[in-house]
Amino acid sequence: MTDQPAITVDGHAIPLLGFGTWMLTPEDARRMVAEALRIGYRHIDTAWIYHNEAAVGDGIRDAIEAGHVARDDIWLTTKIWVAHFDR
């Protein structure tokens, strides 16, 4: 999985296949993100509206601390909810 195809944007390689966290409870998000990174995913997708961003971060930290992945090898995608757009 770590040799997955990527697209390069502004010099950054973004893996085309990402692990989505929609509908995951915080407990599941933490555990499953850490496992996804352990097995080779390098792109994690979350959003404010999923209510699990902190747990996703915990899962990333767990995988880094366990030595499964380096932080520089992870691409994290998140979205801002429309009600939060402001100048």
Side-chain angles (χ1 to χ4, degrees):
M1 177 94 38
T2 55
D3 293 329
Q4 60 186 281
I7 185 171
T8 301
V9 177
D10 293 332
H12 301 282
I14 305 169
L16 292 177
L17 180 62
F19 181 78
T21 63
W22 168 242
M23 302 282 294
L24 294 180
T25 65
E27 298 79 20
D28 285 341
R30 180 178 184 164
R31 179 178 51 81
M32 293 176 73
V33 164
E35 179 64 9
L37 292 169
R38 186 191 69 77
I39 65 172
Y41 280 88
R42 294 299 179 257
H43 182 177
I44 306 296
D45 175 79
T46 189
W48 173 86
I49 195 68
Y50 300 174
H51 303 289
N52 62 15
E53 285 179 309
V56 167
D58 291 339
I60 290 171
R61 184 184 60 237
D62 293 347
I64 292 169
E65 289 177 356
H68 299 305
V69 64
R71 174 58 187 99
D72 288 345
D73 293 336
I74 301 170
W75 186 270
L76 177 67
T77 299
T78 191
K79 281 81 68 191
I80 300 170
W81 193 244
V82 295
H84 297 148
F85 289 140
D86 194 5
R87 290 188 184 270

